[in-house]
Amino acid sequence: MSGWTLKDLPSQSGRVAIVTGTSGLGFENALALTRGGSEVIIAGRNSEKGGQAIKLIRQKSPDARVRFEILDLASLASIAAFAQRMAGELNGVDLLINNAAVMNPPVRKVSGDGFELQFATNYLGHFALTAHLLPLLRRGRTPRVVTLSSVAARSGRIDFDDLQTERTYRPMAAYAQSKLACLMFALELQRRSEANGWGVTSLAAHPGISRTDLLPNGSGRWSFAGIMRTYMWFLFQPAAQGALPTLYAASSPFALSGGYYGPTRLGETRGAPGPAAIPVQARDEAVAARLWAESERLSGAVFQ
C-alpha cells in the first residue's frame, strides 16, 4: 500500500455510503466516494452546512449522487429517527463512516440527553447509530464500518468512575477518552461481528494532524489551539490528505478486518496512509466489553 492515493480508490459504483459530518474530513470522504461512483448520504446537524457541502460536491462532480440528511449525534432521538428514515428508504448500506466530532470545548457541556458533549457526539452517538443501522449494514454488499479515532487516543483512559467527567472536566482528557472509546468500539465491533456472524467488517482510522475546523470550532478561534490552527496552518496537513487513511480503510481490498490506519510519517501526524499503532489500553478486551455493555445501557441501543 506504499504511497496509496485517491487514484488507488477502487470503483464504488453501486455502493451506498453514509458519512457523518458536513465539512473537513467528512466532506473529503463524501467527495472522494461520490467521484468513485458511490451514492453518498451526508449526515449532520446543520442543514445550511449540509446544503453547502452538497452544492460544492456537485460543482466538483456534476454526476454525483449525494444528498444531505439531518442527524444530531448528540441526540439519541435524532439518531433513532435518522435510522428509521434510512430503513424506509434503503435496501441496504454498504459503508458507514463514523466521522463527525467535537473537540475540546473549554467548559464542560452536555448533550440533550445529559451526557458530556464529546463523549456523546464522538463516541456514544456513533455507537447508537451503528446499532440502529446494523440491519441495513447486514444487507449491504461487503459492508464496512469505519470509525474515526485520533492520535489523542494514545493518552486516553476509560474512567468508568467518572465517564461523563462530572467530577473533573479537562477538555483534552475528555476528548482523548472519547477517541479511545471510538477505537475500542471499532475493535470490539469486529470481534462481535465475527462471533455473531453479522458479516460486517469493522475498521478504525485517524487523520493525523489535519487542517479542519475541529479545533477552532471546539476550543474557540482565539484559544491557543484555535490560534495555532489559524496562524500555524502549515503545521497541519490538508484535510484531503488527512482523509486518506479513512478512505483506504473504507475501500481497499487490502485493509484488514479490525485494522487501524493512519498517516505514516512524523509519529503518524502526516503522510501516506498505512497501519497505525494501537495503544496498549485499546487492546484491553475486558474494558472493551464493559464499555460496550455500559454504552448499550446509556444509549438504549442494542446490536442485533
Side-chain angles (χ1 to χ4, degrees), residues 6 27 36 94-95 157 175 185 229 297:
L6 287 182
F27 173 83
D94 306 303
L95 174 63
R157 184 174 74 90
Y175 179 75
F185 165 63
R229 164 64 182 85
R297 185 186 72 81

Side-chain angles (χ1 to χ4, degrees), residues 161-280:
D161 293 327
D162 193 21
L163 201 58
Q164 305 303 326
T165 64
E166 295 171 291
R167 289 186 298 206
T168 303
Y169 177 73
R170 290 180 293 122
M172 194 60 198
Y175 179 75
Q177 175 182 247
S178 74
K179 284 301 185 176
L180 174 60
C182 286
L183 177 54
M184 297 184 79
F185 165 63
L187 301 178
E188 182 69 7
L189 177 60
Q190 179 60 37
R191 289 190 288 266
R192 294 190 180 227
S193 180
E194 292 175 359
N196 293 289
W198 292 337
V200 175
T201 297
S202 174
L203 308 94
H206 77 81
I209 299 178
S210 301
R211 288 199 295 272
T212 72
D213 289 331
L214 190 60
L215 275 170
N217 282 350
S219 301
R221 179 67 63 184
W222 302 112
S223 66
F224 175 76
I227 291 171
M228 283 288 291
R229 164 64 182 85
T230 302
Y231 295 104
M232 304 292 282
W233 57 266
F234 51 85
L235 298 177
F236 299 73
Q237 64 178 354
Q241 182 71 27
L244 291 183
T246 301
L247 292 165
Y248 178 85
S251 68
S252 174
F254 303 107
L256 300 177
S257 302
Y260 184 34
Y261 297 93
T264 51
R265 295 180 54 235
L266 296 177
E268 298 185 12
T269 61
R270 62 182 61 240
I278 299 176
V280 62

